[in-house]
């Protein structure tokens, strides 16, 4: 089996209400939309709900990218979508419930706000994770299995907090891995260009719990974010296939 390349989407927008009035100010840089939340919802979130693709027989079918990937959506953004873009929020809910459930579900949780969790006090770490879980439960009617950490900021204490609250995996970047080992083998140093992205890794915690970490692809992630690689879908697909192609199986 060959490796499967895919995306994890991190969706987040900060609250933009005026703290004194509770109203949204007009952001002229977001023209022709009222503010940047509206513009990003139109150009990104709503566009990701369904994509019209031409078929070989000349007809058109709808493809739902989020059901074929994994993603997290910040609770503050969920709140805004439910109020100002309910069509997007309802479509997300439907797609999540229609896709795989349990450990294979497409959506993962996130802390309540976009705080760098390791920099928070111990009690705030517990609250950020717990309140993010509560929001997930309220949105989707299930317990989250995985959790995205803002900026993938992590330390052992944060992993312990997540494990205590039932989270079993998170997504990290290869620059955050120093050494890995297979069972009964010796530790070996790894770098962003040497770590095997096709495998999930268990992190043994001091408490005896363990957390699973899935590492993104450093070069591809950087090129998707900061180059024109996403300007052409065929080029993106070919680049991903040639970059991550392997014969030993796994998911990237």
């Amino acid at each position: 089996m060959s490796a499967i390349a895919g995306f994890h989407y991190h969706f987040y927008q900060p609250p933009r209400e005026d703290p004194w009035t509770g109203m949204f100010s007009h952001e002229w840089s977001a023209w022709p939309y009222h503010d940047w939340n509206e513009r990003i919802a139109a150009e990104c979130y709503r566009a990701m709900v369904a994509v019209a693709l031409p078929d070989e027989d000349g007809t058109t079918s709808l493809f739902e990218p989020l059901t074929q990937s994994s993603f997290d959506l910040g609770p503050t953004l969920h709140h805004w979508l439910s109020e100002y873009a309910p069509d997007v929020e309802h479509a997300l809910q439907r797609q999540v419930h229609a896709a795989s459930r349990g450990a294979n579900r497409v959506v993962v949780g996130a802390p309540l706000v976009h705080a760098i969790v390791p920099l928070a006090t111990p009690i705030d770490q517990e609250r950020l994770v717990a309140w993010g879980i509560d929001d997930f439960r309220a949105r989707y009617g299930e317990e989250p299995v995985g959790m995205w950490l803002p900026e993938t900021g992590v330390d052992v204490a944060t992993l312990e907090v997540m494990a205590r609250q039932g989270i079993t995996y998170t997504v990290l970047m290869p620059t955050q891995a120093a050494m890995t080992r297979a069972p009964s083998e010796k530790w070996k140093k790894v770098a962003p260009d040497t770590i095997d992205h096709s495998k999930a890794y268990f992190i043994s915690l001091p408490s005896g719990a363990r957390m699973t970490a899935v590492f993104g692809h450093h070069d591809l992630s950087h090129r998707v974010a900061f180059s024109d690689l996403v300007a052409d879908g065929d080029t993106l697909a070919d680049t991903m296939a040639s970059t991550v192609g392997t014969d030993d199986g796994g998911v990237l």
Side-chain angles (χ1 to χ4, degrees):
M1 182 181 72
S2 298
I4 302 171
F7 289 100
H8 176 81
Y9 301 101
H10 169 53
F11 298 136
Y12 166 77
Q13 289 296 314
R16 284 191 161 83
E17 298 95 331
D18 184 307
W20 298 106
T21 66
M23 304 293 290
F24 288 86
S25 300
H26 195 156
E27 297 177 311
W28 290 104
S29 59
W31 189 90
Y33 299 92
H34 179 271
D35 55 70
W36 274 100
N37 270 17
E38 280 193 5
R39 179 169 178 176
I40 295 171
E43 297 181 355
C44 178
Y45 309 132
R46 189 170 286 113
M48 289 294 293
V49 167
V51 179
L53 297 177
D55 296 323
E56 293 182 356
D57 59 4
T59 61
T60 300
S61 59
L62 290 180
F63 175 68
E64 299 177 336
L66 296 182
T67 64
Q68 305 299 318
S69 307
S70 72
F71 69 94
D72 68 276
L73 203 148
T76 54
L77 176 57
H78 260 307
H79 176 74
W80 184 90
L81 288 173
S82 62
E83 184 75 17
Y84 297 97
D87 60 311
V88 178
E89 178 71 9
H90 293 161
L92 287 170
Q93 300 275 354
R94 183 189 61 78
Q95 291 184 14
V96 166
H97 287 293
S100 299
R101 305 175 78 80
N104 296 321
R105 69 165 62 96
V106 296
V107 62
V108 302
L112 185 69
V113 296
H114 202 273
I116 308 303
V117 180
L119 300 182
T121 64
I123 187 62
D124 281 341
Q125 290 181 357
E126 296 280 356
R127 288 167 175 164
L128 287 165
V129 174
W131 291 348
I133 291 173
D134 283 346
D135 182 86
F136 187 100
R137 188 185 300 118
R139 302 279 175 191
Y140 303 114
E142 295 186 46
E143 300 293 319
V145 178
M147 178 166 282
W148 169 270
L149 293 167
E151 310 305 335
T152 67
V154 71
D155 62 4
V156 172
T158 301
L159 295 177
E160 290 277 23
V161 168
M162 294 165 64
R164 281 197 298 272
Q165 301 197 41
I167 301 299
T168 63
Y169 78 90
T170 190
V171 180
L172 301 175
M173 292 305 295
T175 51
Q176 296 173 281
M179 293 188 293
T180 65
R181 70 176 178 88
S184 303
E185 293 186 5
K186 293 183 178 180
W187 290 97
K188 64 178 181 179
K189 293 183 178 180
V190 293
D193 59 344
T194 61
I195 190 171
D196 187 349
H197 308 81
S198 69
K199 292 179 170 59
Y201 294 84
F202 294 126
I203 303 172
S204 297
L205 301 174
S207 66
R210 72 178 187 180
M211 182 68 59
T212 300
V214 180
F215 291 93
H217 193 286
H218 183 264
D219 179 59
L220 277 177
S221 297
H222 190 273
R223 292 175 67 185
V224 166
F226 300 109
S227 76
D228 61 354
L229 186 60
V230 295
D232 181 84
D234 290 336
T235 300
L236 173 62
D238 291 342
T239 302
M240 293 176 68
S242 62
T243 301
V244 305
T246 180
D247 295 325
D248 57 4
V251 178
L252 294 166

